[in-house]
Amino acid sequence: MEDNKKVINVAEIFGENVFNDTVMQERLPKKIYKELRRTIEEGKELDIATADVIAHEMKEWAIEKGATHYTHWFQPLTGVTAEKHDSFISAPMANGKVLMSFSGKELIKGEPDASSFPSGGLRATFEARGYTAWDPTSPAFVKKDENGCILYVPTAFCSYTGEALDQKTPLLRSMEAINKQALRFLRLFGNTTSKRVKPSVGIEQEYFLVDRQKYLKRKDLVFTGRTLFGAMPPKGQELDDHYFGSIRARIAAFMKEVNEELWRLGVTAKTQHNEVAPAQHELAPIYVECNVAVDHNQLIMETLKKVAERQGLHCLLHEKPFAGVNGSGKHDNWSLITDDGKNLLDPGKTPHENIQFLLMLLCVLRAVDRHADLLRESAADPGNDHRLGSSEAPPAIISVFLGEQLEDVLEQLVISGNATHSIKGGKLQTGVKALPGLNKDATDRNRTSPFAFTGNKFEFRMLGSRDSAAAPNIVLNTIVAEALCDACDILEQSEDFEQAVHDLIKEYATEHQKIVFNGNGYSEEWVKEAERRGLPNLPSMVDAIPALVADKNVEMFEKFHVFTRAELDSRAEIKYEAYAKAVNIEARTMIDIASKHIIPAVIRGTKTLAETVNAVVQAGVDAEVQRDLLVETSSLLKEAKAALTTLEQVTQEASTKEEGKVQAEYFHEQVVPAMEALRIPVDRLEMIVDKEIWPMPSYGDLIFEV
């Protein structure tokens, strides 16, 4: 308890474990520091002599922090990060001592085994060589935990032949693409001072916390991250009393430790609160440069899991760990910021007069409309199939929410080609004299929209909670780069720039108005309306994966050097395999739990119930109630056994299918429905079988007893 009462000065501890700009200025020679800044800001390649100096100072700094090892920290296509630890020890000297060294070569390049990570056919088992390459734009840091103290060097990961085998490489490529096209765009509007445009991203992270001892008694949670069985308790989230509610002491202690660890790592953990579902919470940082935001989100997820374990809890990052209550996602807030602080998505006070903003906005609409399938695919995950379109998540149909003010401006442009006014926000009247008047925004928000404009940024709300945020940002950066490129190609050739801008704004507004929807995304009417508009509806991951290799998307990615066709083919293959493997593990887990735990427990229960019926009858008392319960239990047991047999058969059949798309489709079309059919009678049995007999903790135990 004493540690919890210790006063923390956030300003003092923030970034203390990061080799950040302040540390570099203090420790690096001025010339070396300038060269490194040029690399970070301009992409200039570092020479080995400069890298040697940086590596030496980085090593000395890390050793002062207690580091004994370093690692190239990268993000392979597994959904989690990877690391291999090497000590700073070099060859022993004649006197038996050792030197601690870290060279520029070791800083810049590592060589993990590329054949042991998903490659989608890019690498054969015998083709093992792969490289990690230092990303100097994301600062190195030290982590102190059960592994000791380790220096982490953020890196990209590619194969011996140069293909990207990770999330970071294409993300950095996409950032270069949008920087180039956004600068072209700015120059057309007379901006000659901005030198770089970077996507700025803030990633909100949702998660569940459960007691670790109860978690360990749920093999479905242990093996799959979600409950494959489970009846709803009498109370769920219907009272809305958990959302923003008072944070319980145990959870507050957890959040405090998480914040302190993240602050020391330079992660700007800012907002924490209870989410809608019982046992669900959220953490949100401040916006930073895109690739750093993705790195920070990985650190957030890792920190949530490690701190939870230390405190006797378990952090669930699955998109739908509990049926019947809200699942978890990430909200990816995306905007474009120049190096001199200009936000290209800031409409200003009179957006109808802000021609540069209007064209930028319409380029984003054009990008989303043309590549809605690709944006949907970027959020595709087996767990997200259980979440999208439910009461807490956007539907699987991509649309854009602009709000009343911008939708009104858009309609003016479509009708006449000119926008002459903007709806104003005004004052919010509370009806209480003692409360101050509040400036009201010009538009409301829409939580059912998957892609919403929220003042000066877009919020992509579809991403699953455990996924890397790299994929949607790769897509956003690239599709907007393409739209900006198309606009610049037209405007750069125009003889009358102002007229050309006017015509292009009207053309884009008219052509892409169909992607804008401000209504209720959960309604059946919207599904029909979206179909009428020709918007893609891709409800499952298997439906969405083909977008990766659609000709128009391949052409775009290759044009902007973000992915090659071979890289896209490999990623599609990896995703089909990932889906099949995830569902296969879930199905086998259901079979194991049902056959070894639930059915035997129910049989014991029916035996006891039958003995009770006989005893009551022998006592000369009416046993109708007990007999009815026995009949109902036996009937459900029979139904469960039949469903189990079917699940066993289709799961076995799935293993014979050709790996890749064919197998993934079979799992989606045959195995998933068989799993749902088994869950129905089992969940009904849980409601009537004695709790003392039921072989695992209930939903009530898990989400209300934390």
Side-chain angles (χ1 to χ4, degrees), residues 652-671:
Q652 177 59 36
E653 180 65 20
S655 66
T656 68
K657 301 298 180 183
E658 179 185 352
E659 291 185 356
K661 183 178 181 181
V662 172
Q663 189 176 62
E665 288 177 340
Y666 187 86
F667 270 106
H668 175 59
E669 295 167 5
Q670 301 296 327
V671 178

Side-chain angles (χ1 to χ4, degrees), residues 42-117:
E42 303 173 20
K44 178 183 176 294
E45 187 173 347
L46 277 180
D47 61 76
I48 194 66
T50 302
D52 278 334
V53 176
I54 296 168
H56 174 77
E57 291 301 326
M58 191 183 290
K59 180 256 304 181
E60 291 296 303
W61 169 81
I63 289 175
E64 290 171 15
K65 294 285 183 182
T68 57
H69 292 68
Y70 70 91
T71 182
H72 274 200
W73 184 62
F74 59 103
Q75 300 170 33
L77 300 174
T78 56
V80 294
T81 58
E83 55 194 70
K84 179 188 72 169
H85 301 167
D86 288 295
S87 75
F88 290 118
I89 294 176
S90 61
M93 298 183 293
N95 62 3
K97 301 290 185 179
V98 293
L99 288 173
M100 304 288 275
S101 67
F102 184 47
S103 68
K105 181 180 178 182
E106 290 170 318
L107 169 63
I108 290 173
K109 187 180 78 170
E111 291 191 27
D113 182 351
S115 67
S116 298
F117 292 101

Side-chain angles (χ1 to χ4, degrees), residues 447-506:
R447 67 192 302 272
T448 73
S449 175
F451 197 75
F453 187 75
T454 54
N456 59 4
K457 57 183 172 60
F458 279 98
E459 182 182 26
F460 185 40
R461 299 170 51 87
M462 189 179 278
L463 185 59
S465 53
R466 61 182 166 169
D467 281 351
S468 166
N473 286 294
I474 291 167
V475 171
L476 277 172
N477 295 342
T478 311
I479 65 178
V480 175
E482 180 193 50
L484 291 174
C485 179
D486 291 344
C488 290
D489 286 346
I490 294 170
L491 296 177
E492 285 170 352
Q493 301 300 318
S494 65
E495 295 181 1
D496 185 338
F497 176 74
E498 289 188 6
Q499 185 62 45
V501 170
H502 173 276
D503 293 344
L504 197 57
I505 286 176
K506 186 178 190 308

Side-chain angles (χ1 to χ4, degrees), residues 1-8 256:
M1 287 297 293
E2 290 301 317
D3 287 341
N4 286 339
K5 293 179 180 178
K6 184 179 178 182
V7 175
I8 298 295
K256 178 177 181 292

Side-chain angles (χ1 to χ4, degrees), residues 208-211 214 231-239 241-242 248 250 276-280 322 325 698-706:
F208 279 83
L209 288 174
V210 296
D211 182 86
K214 293 185 176 73
M232 277 297 294
K235 177 189 175 187
Q237 64 187 51
E238 59 268 33
L239 295 181
D241 53 343
H242 189 259
R248 284 169 285 180
R250 188 180 186 187
V276 172
Q280 187 184 33
F322 302 103
V325 298
S698 68
Y699 270 24
D701 299 331
L702 288 164
I703 64 178
F704 285 105
E705 298 179 12
V706 188

